[in-house]
Amino acid sequence: MGAVANDNRVELILDADAFHKAVRIIVDRDEILWLGFDPFSQIGSFRQRDVPSLLEFCVNNPEYHIVTYTSGHRYVNRYVPDQRVYMLATGDKNPYLAHNPWIDPMHHLIEEDVFSKLSCEPNQIRRRHKPKT
């Protein structure tokens, strides 16, 4: 009997709030500066060049771990080599957790609802001319 090992197991979380609450990504720039890092964005993102210092920091401070932003709004709760954006986190270290909103079967309905609230019908737009009475 054969056996197969799958290192790419994923526990997908579709809700961004649930993922961020579980993983607790550090988005406070002041907290990251206090830890001794200078992220490239206001929400605490790091680039590939920062990876060696992030990895060393996480080894010396096991309560922290790296979250990788891979592509298309997909977050993976572990270090993935050769990606563009990384973040520090203090929550659940389960390396199989991932967040990908684009495969949510309800995503198109949520998006449609948002856009319908932002749009308006052309006949509701008033230009310079006053309506005739």
mmCIF file of all heavy atoms in Angstrom, residues 30-65:
data_model
loop_
_atom_site.group_PDB
_atom_site.id
_atom_site.type_symbol
_atom_site.label_atom_id
_atom_site.label_comp_id
_atom_site.label_asym_id
_atom_site.label_seq_id
_atom_site.Cartn_x
_atom_site.Cartn_y
_atom_site.Cartn_z
ATOM 1 N N ASP A 30 3.652 52.001 14.258
ATOM 2 C CA ASP A 30 4.409 52.356 15.454
ATOM 3 C C ASP A 30 4.893 51.116 16.201
ATOM 4 O O ASP A 30 6.010 51.094 16.714
ATOM 5 C CB ASP A 30 3.562 53.229 16.387
ATOM 6 C CG ASP A 30 3.317 54.612 15.818
ATOM 7 O OD1 ASP A 30 4.130 55.066 14.978
ATOM 8 O OD2 ASP A 30 2.318 55.241 16.191
ATOM 9 N N GLU A 31 4.051 50.079 16.265
ATOM 10 C CA GLU A 31 4.464 48.840 16.925
ATOM 11 C C GLU A 31 5.625 48.187 16.173
ATOM 12 O O GLU A 31 6.569 47.697 16.773
ATOM 13 C CB GLU A 31 3.286 47.869 17.015
ATOM 14 C CG GLU A 31 3.623 46.586 17.740
ATOM 15 C CD GLU A 31 2.438 45.661 17.906
ATOM 16 O OE1 GLU A 31 1.302 46.048 17.577
ATOM 17 O OE2 GLU A 31 2.656 44.527 18.376
ATOM 18 N N ILE A 32 5.551 48.204 14.852
ATOM 19 C CA ILE A 32 6.620 47.612 14.049
ATOM 20 C C ILE A 32 7.909 48.411 14.192
ATOM 21 O O ILE A 32 9.002 47.838 14.292
ATOM 22 C CB ILE A 32 6.175 47.485 12.580
ATOM 23 C CG1 ILE A 32 5.048 46.449 12.499
ATOM 24 C CG2 ILE A 32 7.334 47.107 11.678
ATOM 25 C CD1 ILE A 32 4.372 46.354 11.181
ATOM 26 N N LEU A 33 7.797 49.737 14.220
ATOM 27 C CA LEU A 33 8.983 50.566 14.456
ATOM 28 C C LEU A 33 9.575 50.276 15.832
ATOM 29 O O LEU A 33 10.793 50.224 15.999
ATOM 30 C CB LEU A 33 8.632 52.050 14.306
ATOM 31 C CG LEU A 33 8.319 52.532 12.901
ATOM 32 C CD1 LEU A 33 7.757 53.957 12.925
ATOM 33 C CD2 LEU A 33 9.547 52.457 12.016
ATOM 34 N N TRP A 34 8.718 50.080 16.821
ATOM 35 C CA TRP A 34 9.172 49.761 18.181
ATOM 36 C C TRP A 34 9.927 48.431 18.210
ATOM 37 O O TRP A 34 10.859 48.254 18.981
ATOM 38 C CB TRP A 34 7.968 49.721 19.124
ATOM 39 C CG TRP A 34 8.326 49.472 20.547
ATOM 40 C CD1 TRP A 34 8.799 50.374 21.444
ATOM 41 C CD2 TRP A 34 8.233 48.217 21.237
ATOM 42 N NE1 TRP A 34 9.012 49.758 22.654
ATOM 43 C CE2 TRP A 34 8.679 48.432 22.558
ATOM 44 C CE3 TRP A 34 7.824 46.950 20.859
ATOM 45 C CZ2 TRP A 34 8.727 47.417 23.492
ATOM 46 C CZ3 TRP A 34 7.868 45.938 21.802
ATOM 47 C CH2 TRP A 34 8.319 46.182 23.104
ATOM 48 N N LEU A 35 9.527 47.489 17.340
ATOM 49 C CA LEU A 35 10.206 46.194 17.257
ATOM 50 C C LEU A 35 11.565 46.298 16.550
ATOM 51 O O LEU A 35 12.324 45.338 16.537
ATOM 52 C CB LEU A 35 9.331 45.171 16.530
ATOM 53 C CG LEU A 35 8.061 44.747 17.256
ATOM 54 C CD1 LEU A 35 7.183 43.898 16.337
ATOM 55 C CD2 LEU A 35 8.391 44.002 18.539
ATOM 56 N N GLY A 36 11.833 47.452 15.957
ATOM 57 C CA GLY A 36 13.127 47.665 15.312
ATOM 58 C C GLY A 36 13.120 47.534 13.807
ATOM 59 O O GLY A 36 14.180 47.452 13.179
ATOM 60 N N PHE A 37 11.952 47.536 13.201
ATOM 61 C CA PHE A 37 11.838 47.409 11.745
ATOM 62 C C PHE A 37 11.311 48.706 11.139
ATOM 63 O O PHE A 37 10.658 49.496 11.807
ATOM 64 C CB PHE A 37 10.888 46.275 11.369
ATOM 65 C CG PHE A 37 11.402 44.922 11.729
ATOM 66 C CD1 PHE A 37 10.918 44.251 12.840
ATOM 67 C CD2 PHE A 37 12.379 44.309 10.961
ATOM 68 C CE1 PHE A 37 11.383 42.996 13.173
ATOM 69 C CE2 PHE A 37 12.860 43.060 11.287
ATOM 70 C CZ PHE A 37 12.363 42.398 12.400
ATOM 71 N N ASP A 38 11.584 48.881 9.877
ATOM 72 C CA ASP A 38 11.056 50.015 9.122
ATOM 73 C C ASP A 38 10.334 49.476 7.893
ATOM 74 O O ASP A 38 10.937 49.273 6.847
ATOM 75 C CB ASP A 38 12.180 50.961 8.709
ATOM 76 C CG ASP A 38 11.651 52.244 8.089
ATOM 77 O OD1 ASP A 38 10.454 52.552 8.268
ATOM 78 O OD2 ASP A 38 12.431 52.942 7.423
ATOM 79 N N PRO A 39 9.022 49.210 8.006
ATOM 80 C CA PRO A 39 8.281 48.641 6.876
ATOM 81 C C PRO A 39 8.150 49.652 5.738
ATOM 82 O O PRO A 39 8.259 50.851 5.950
ATOM 83 C CB PRO A 39 6.926 48.311 7.482
ATOM 84 C CG PRO A 39 6.783 49.249 8.622
ATOM 85 C CD PRO A 39 8.168 49.472 9.160
ATOM 86 N N PHE A 40 7.893 49.158 4.533
ATOM 87 C CA PHE A 40 7.788 50.057 3.389
ATOM 88 C C PHE A 40 6.396 50.649 3.214
ATOM 89 O O PHE A 40 6.209 51.538 2.392
ATOM 90 C CB PHE A 40 8.252 49.363 2.096
ATOM 91 C CG PHE A 40 7.248 48.431 1.467
ATOM 92 C CD1 PHE A 40 6.334 48.894 0.540
ATOM 93 C CD2 PHE A 40 7.231 47.082 1.788
ATOM 94 C CE1 PHE A 40 5.428 48.043 -0.052
ATOM 95 C CE2 PHE A 40 6.329 46.220 1.195
ATOM 96 C CZ PHE A 40 5.417 46.707 0.273
ATOM 97 N N SER A 41 5.426 50.190 3.989
ATOM 98 C CA SER A 41 4.073 50.732 3.853
ATOM 99 C C SER A 41 3.528 51.137 5.214
ATOM 100 O O SER A 41 4.087 50.791 6.252
ATOM 101 C CB SER A 41 3.140 49.695 3.220
ATOM 102 O OG SER A 41 2.828 48.701 4.160
ATOM 103 N N GLN A 42 2.419 51.836 5.181
ATOM 104 C CA GLN A 42 1.786 52.283 6.416
ATOM 105 C C GLN A 42 1.090 51.154 7.168
ATOM 106 O O GLN A 42 0.739 51.307 8.325
ATOM 107 C CB GLN A 42 0.781 53.402 6.121
ATOM 108 C CG GLN A 42 1.432 54.685 5.675
ATOM 109 C CD GLN A 42 2.340 55.263 6.749
ATOM 110 O OE1 GLN A 42 2.014 55.269 7.929
ATOM 111 N NE2 GLN A 42 3.492 55.745 6.346
ATOM 112 N N ILE A 43 0.865 50.009 6.516
ATOM 113 C CA ILE A 43 0.190 48.896 7.187
ATOM 114 C C ILE A 43 1.158 47.779 7.564
ATOM 115 O O ILE A 43 0.752 46.651 7.792
ATOM 116 C CB ILE A 43 -0.970 48.341 6.341
ATOM 117 C CG1 ILE A 43 -0.463 47.853 4.980
ATOM 118 C CG2 ILE A 43 -2.083 49.353 6.196
ATOM 119 C CD1 ILE A 43 -1.467 47.011 4.238
ATOM 120 N N GLY A 44 2.441 48.086 7.603
ATOM 121 C CA GLY A 44 3.411 47.125 8.121
ATOM 122 C C GLY A 44 3.862 46.056 7.166
ATOM 123 O O GLY A 44 4.204 44.956 7.589
ATOM 124 N N SER A 45 3.899 46.336 5.892
ATOM 125 C CA SER A 45 4.356 45.350 4.913
ATOM 126 C C SER A 45 5.867 45.433 4.719
ATOM 127 O O SER A 45 6.451 46.503 4.786
ATOM 128 C CB SER A 45 3.668 45.589 3.566
ATOM 129 O OG SER A 45 2.281 45.489 3.699
ATOM 130 N N PHE A 46 6.456 44.273 4.440
ATOM 131 C CA PHE A 46 7.890 44.181 4.208
ATOM 132 C C PHE A 46 8.156 43.621 2.821
ATOM 133 O O PHE A 46 7.354 42.857 2.291
ATOM 134 C CB PHE A 46 8.551 43.267 5.248
ATOM 135 C CG PHE A 46 8.432 43.787 6.650
ATOM 136 C CD1 PHE A 46 7.368 43.393 7.456
ATOM 137 C CD2 PHE A 46 9.366 44.660 7.164
ATOM 138 C CE1 PHE A 46 7.250 43.854 8.749
ATOM 139 C CE2 PHE A 46 9.248 45.135 8.462
ATOM 140 C CZ PHE A 46 8.199 44.730 9.257
ATOM 141 N N ARG A 47 9.313 43.944 2.263
ATOM 142 C CA ARG A 47 9.713 43.444 0.951
ATOM 143 C C ARG A 47 10.659 42.261 1.098
ATOM 144 O O ARG A 47 11.108 41.936 2.193
ATOM 145 C CB ARG A 47 10.393 44.549 0.159
ATOM 146 C CG ARG A 47 9.449 45.668 -0.175
ATOM 147 C CD ARG A 47 10.086 46.646 -1.108
ATOM 148 N NE ARG A 47 9.105 47.662 -1.458
ATOM 149 C CZ ARG A 47 9.381 48.933 -1.605
ATOM 150 N NH1 ARG A 47 10.607 49.361 -1.466
ATOM 151 N NH2 ARG A 47 8.433 49.771 -1.922
ATOM 152 N N GLN A 48 10.991 41.663 -0.022
ATOM 153 C CA GLN A 48 11.881 40.499 -0.062
ATOM 154 C C GLN A 48 13.227 40.789 0.608
ATOM 155 O O GLN A 48 13.781 39.938 1.287
ATOM 156 C CB GLN A 48 12.088 40.063 -1.518
ATOM 157 C CG GLN A 48 13.032 38.900 -1.710
ATOM 158 C CD GLN A 48 12.518 37.611 -1.107
ATOM 159 O OE1 GLN A 48 11.334 37.362 -1.079
ATOM 160 N NE2 GLN A 48 13.414 36.797 -0.613
ATOM 161 N N ARG A 49 13.739 41.983 0.445
ATOM 162 C CA ARG A 49 15.052 42.314 1.026
ATOM 163 C C ARG A 49 15.049 42.288 2.557
ATOM 164 O O ARG A 49 16.097 42.198 3.186
ATOM 165 C CB ARG A 49 15.526 43.660 0.503
ATOM 166 C CG ARG A 49 14.691 44.814 1.003
ATOM 167 C CD ARG A 49 15.253 46.151 0.568
ATOM 168 N NE ARG A 49 14.439 47.216 1.104
ATOM 169 C CZ ARG A 49 13.958 48.207 0.394
ATOM 170 N NH1 ARG A 49 14.219 48.297 -0.886
ATOM 171 N NH2 ARG A 49 13.214 49.126 0.959
ATOM 172 N N ASP A 50 13.868 42.379 3.181
ATOM 173 C CA ASP A 50 13.756 42.360 4.639
ATOM 174 C C ASP A 50 13.645 40.955 5.216
ATOM 175 O O ASP A 50 13.660 40.782 6.432
ATOM 176 C CB ASP A 50 12.522 43.159 5.083
ATOM 177 C CG ASP A 50 12.573 44.615 4.635
ATOM 178 O OD1 ASP A 50 13.632 45.230 4.781
ATOM 179 O OD2 ASP A 50 11.541 45.108 4.144
ATOM 180 N N VAL A 51 13.506 39.953 4.354
ATOM 181 C CA VAL A 51 13.249 38.581 4.799
ATOM 182 C C VAL A 51 14.317 38.045 5.754
ATOM 183 O O VAL A 51 13.969 37.474 6.792
ATOM 184 C CB VAL A 51 13.043 37.634 3.600
ATOM 185 C CG1 VAL A 51 13.102 36.176 4.017
ATOM 186 C CG2 VAL A 51 11.709 37.937 2.942
ATOM 187 N N PRO A 52 15.620 38.202 5.480
ATOM 188 C CA PRO A 52 16.610 37.650 6.426
ATOM 189 C C PRO A 52 16.445 38.196 7.845
ATOM 190 O O PRO A 52 16.494 37.432 8.818
ATOM 191 C CB PRO A 52 17.952 38.061 5.822
ATOM 192 C CG PRO A 52 17.681 38.216 4.360
ATOM 193 C CD PRO A 52 16.275 38.743 4.274
ATOM 194 N N SER A 53 16.211 39.495 7.981
ATOM 195 C CA SER A 53 16.047 40.052 9.324
ATOM 196 C C SER A 53 14.717 39.614 9.951
ATOM 197 O O SER A 53 14.645 39.405 11.165
ATOM 198 C CB SER A 53 16.164 41.574 9.308
ATOM 199 O OG SER A 53 15.213 42.149 8.458
ATOM 200 N N LEU A 54 13.673 39.449 9.143
ATOM 201 C CA LEU A 54 12.391 38.957 9.670
ATOM 202 C C LEU A 54 12.522 37.520 10.172
ATOM 203 O O LEU A 54 12.024 37.183 11.253
ATOM 204 C CB LEU A 54 11.302 39.026 8.612
ATOM 205 C CG LEU A 54 10.790 40.405 8.220
ATOM 206 C CD1 LEU A 54 9.843 40.303 7.040
ATOM 207 C CD2 LEU A 54 10.107 41.067 9.393
ATOM 208 N N LEU A 55 13.184 36.675 9.387
ATOM 209 C CA LEU A 55 13.376 35.278 9.794
ATOM 210 C C LEU A 55 14.194 35.187 11.078
ATOM 211 O O LEU A 55 13.854 34.427 11.993
ATOM 212 C CB LEU A 55 14.046 34.485 8.674
ATOM 213 C CG LEU A 55 13.176 34.229 7.434
ATOM 214 C CD1 LEU A 55 14.015 33.618 6.319
ATOM 215 C CD2 LEU A 55 11.996 33.339 7.774
ATOM 216 N N GLU A 56 15.250 35.971 11.163
ATOM 217 C CA GLU A 56 16.082 35.973 12.376
ATOM 218 C C GLU A 56 15.281 36.465 13.581
ATOM 219 O O GLU A 56 15.358 35.890 14.666
ATOM 220 C CB GLU A 56 17.310 36.857 12.168
ATOM 221 C CG GLU A 56 18.241 36.888 13.362
ATOM 222 C CD GLU A 56 19.435 37.794 13.146
ATOM 223 O OE1 GLU A 56 19.691 38.201 12.012
ATOM 224 O OE2 GLU A 56 20.113 38.098 14.140
ATOM 225 N N PHE A 57 14.478 37.508 13.369
ATOM 226 C CA PHE A 57 13.649 38.045 14.445
ATOM 227 C C PHE A 57 12.672 36.992 14.947
ATOM 228 O O PHE A 57 12.490 36.818 16.157
ATOM 229 C CB PHE A 57 12.900 39.291 13.957
ATOM 230 C CG PHE A 57 11.973 39.871 14.974
ATOM 231 C CD1 PHE A 57 12.452 40.684 15.996
ATOM 232 C CD2 PHE A 57 10.615 39.607 14.933
ATOM 233 C CE1 PHE A 57 11.600 41.218 16.951
ATOM 234 C CE2 PHE A 57 9.752 40.136 15.872
ATOM 235 C CZ PHE A 57 10.240 40.947 16.882
ATOM 236 N N CYS A 58 12.049 36.265 14.033
ATOM 237 C CA CYS A 58 11.064 35.248 14.422
ATOM 238 C C CYS A 58 11.714 34.067 15.136
ATOM 239 O O CYS A 58 11.099 33.466 16.022
ATOM 240 C CB CYS A 58 10.277 34.773 13.200
ATOM 241 S SG CYS A 58 9.163 36.043 12.555
ATOM 242 N N VAL A 59 12.948 33.738 14.783
ATOM 243 C CA VAL A 59 13.668 32.679 15.504
ATOM 244 C C VAL A 59 13.954 33.121 16.933
ATOM 245 O O VAL A 59 13.789 32.349 17.885
ATOM 246 C CB VAL A 59 14.979 32.307 14.760
ATOM 247 C CG1 VAL A 59 15.878 31.460 15.632
ATOM 248 C CG2 VAL A 59 14.657 31.596 13.454
ATOM 249 N N ASN A 60 14.354 34.381 17.099
ATOM 250 C CA ASN A 60 14.685 34.906 18.432
ATOM 251 C C ASN A 60 13.453 35.285 19.242
ATOM 252 O O ASN A 60 13.539 35.435 20.458
ATOM 253 C CB ASN A 60 15.604 36.126 18.300
ATOM 254 C CG ASN A 60 16.946 35.761 17.728
ATOM 255 O OD1 ASN A 60 17.443 34.651 17.914
ATOM 256 N ND2 ASN A 60 17.552 36.690 17.000
ATOM 257 N N ASN A 61 12.324 35.464 18.587
ATOM 258 C CA ASN A 61 11.076 35.848 19.248
ATOM 259 C C ASN A 61 9.963 34.921 18.755
ATOM 260 O O ASN A 61 9.199 35.270 17.846
ATOM 261 C CB ASN A 61 10.727 37.308 18.927
ATOM 262 C CG ASN A 61 11.807 38.258 19.376
ATOM 263 O OD1 ASN A 61 11.898 38.595 20.540
ATOM 264 N ND2 ASN A 61 12.649 38.676 18.434
ATOM 265 N N PRO A 62 9.842 33.732 19.338
ATOM 266 C CA PRO A 62 8.917 32.726 18.817
ATOM 267 C C PRO A 62 7.437 33.098 18.894
ATOM 268 O O PRO A 62 6.603 32.415 18.307
ATOM 269 C CB PRO A 62 9.220 31.487 19.658
ATOM 270 C CG PRO A 62 9.973 31.963 20.829
ATOM 271 C CD PRO A 62 10.613 33.257 20.470
ATOM 272 N N GLU A 63 7.106 34.167 19.585
ATOM 273 C CA GLU A 63 5.702 34.584 19.617
ATOM 274 C C GLU A 63 5.291 35.281 18.314
ATOM 275 O O GLU A 63 4.105 35.528 18.091
ATOM 276 C CB GLU A 63 5.412 35.490 20.815
ATOM 277 C CG GLU A 63 6.137 36.814 20.804
ATOM 278 C CD GLU A 63 7.514 36.798 21.461
ATOM 279 O OE1 GLU A 63 8.090 35.719 21.667
ATOM 280 O OE2 GLU A 63 8.025 37.884 21.762
ATOM 281 N N TYR A 64 6.247 35.577 17.449
ATOM 282 C CA TYR A 64 5.979 36.206 16.152
ATOM 283 C C TYR A 64 6.191 35.200 15.030
ATOM 284 O O TYR A 64 6.964 34.259 15.157
ATOM 285 C CB TYR A 64 6.923 37.400 15.926
ATOM 286 C CG TYR A 64 6.697 38.526 16.894
ATOM 287 C CD1 TYR A 64 7.410 38.601 18.089
ATOM 288 C CD2 TYR A 64 5.770 39.529 16.624
ATOM 289 C CE1 TYR A 64 7.206 39.637 18.980
ATOM 290 C CE2 TYR A 64 5.563 40.564 17.518
ATOM 291 C CZ TYR A 64 6.284 40.612 18.690
ATOM 292 O OH TYR A 64 6.070 41.637 19.565
ATOM 293 N N HIS A 65 5.493 35.419 13.929
ATOM 294 C CA HIS A 65 5.703 34.618 12.727
ATOM 295 C C HIS A 65 5.432 35.481 11.494
ATOM 296 O O HIS A 65 4.921 36.593 11.595
ATOM 297 C CB HIS A 65 4.829 33.356 12.731
ATOM 298 C CG HIS A 65 3.366 33.612 12.616
ATOM 299 N ND1 HIS A 65 2.591 34.014 13.685
ATOM 300 C CD2 HIS A 65 2.527 33.521 11.567
ATOM 301 C CE1 HIS A 65 1.339 34.157 13.294
ATOM 302 N NE2 HIS A 65 1.269 33.864 11.993
#
